[in-house]
Amino acid sequence: MKLAAVGLTLITGLGATAVTVAAQEKATKAVRRPGVTGDWVGTWGVYTPPAAGAEGEAPKKSPYPQMRLDCKVAETKDGKWQATFEGECGRPYKYTIQMLGRGAGDVVMFQGTADLGEKDGGVYDWIGRATDKEFVGFYTSEKYTGTFRLARPAPAVAAPTK
């Protein structure tokens, strides 16, 4: 009887340890998020889907070229982030917007709404997804719909010394 009690205590203790270790591993994984803060570079462009009824036709080349986009992301608090986007749209621009972000596995999912003013298309809604290496998104406003794709900038190459 004593042997059975010792065996049950040992098994119960090992089971509790396994549950505790599993809970600690799960908590550690939940805390890990990709490093999305810092500098990003890439392009943005207007999306021009085929006209209604034109399904099956080859997509037409967009009349709008892809434009350079630089971004700097900072985490503020409570799932909030701040992004400063800078680039060209026929003239230079720079906007700092607030975003909501939530971890989902190995990515951060972002969403936001920003009023860029009447001359830049008004109010935009957008969603994005960032890993530690890539930040992609989709935006829409009353006048425009488009996408952006960003990556980490290439490391600066040091000038050769003589």
Side-chain angles (χ1 to χ4, degrees):
M1 187 62 115
K2 286 183 181 180
L3 184 58
V6 169
L8 182 57
T9 302
L10 182 59
I11 290 171
T12 304
L14 289 175
T17 300
V19 169
T20 303
V21 169
Q24 288 173 342
E25 286 175 0
K26 185 176 180 181
T28 301
K29 285 181 183 178
V31 171
R32 281 191 212 138
R33 283 195 311 224
V36 300
T37 60
D39 295 327
W40 296 91
V41 296
T43 60
W44 68 273
V46 175
Y47 174 67
T48 51
E55 292 85 19
E57 292 181 21
K60 295 179 184 172
K61 184 173 166 119
S62 173
Y64 304 102
Q66 291 288 306
M67 304 288 278
R68 181 173 171 99
L69 179 63
D70 295 331
C71 178
K72 185 171 200 93
V73 175
E75 186 171 8
T76 56
K77 60 181 177 178
D78 301 328
K80 294 189 172 87
W81 303 72
Q82 179 174 295
T84 300
F85 292 97
E86 191 169 358
E88 287 282 330
C89 61
R91 63 175 172 68
Y93 67 84
K94 185 175 184 177
Y95 299 108
T96 299
I97 64 168
Q98 303 300 312
M99 312 180 290
L100 292 177
R102 68 174 173 80
D106 292 339
V107 303
V108 176
M109 305 293 289
F110 290 111
Q111 66 178 10
T113 298
D115 187 346
L116 303 184
E118 189 175 328
K119 72 176 180 176
D120 290 327
V123 177
Y124 285 81
D125 290 323
W126 67 277
I127 56 173
R129 174 185 178 275
T131 66
D132 58 344
K133 294 182 176 111
E134 181 181 56
F135 184 6
V136 295
F138 175 83
Y139 65 86
T140 187
S141 73
E142 179 184 354
K143 297 177 184 178
Y144 303 105
T145 301
T147 61
F148 62 88
R149 179 176 298 274
L150 305 169
R152 294 297 186 177
V157 177
T161 58
K162 292 184 178 185

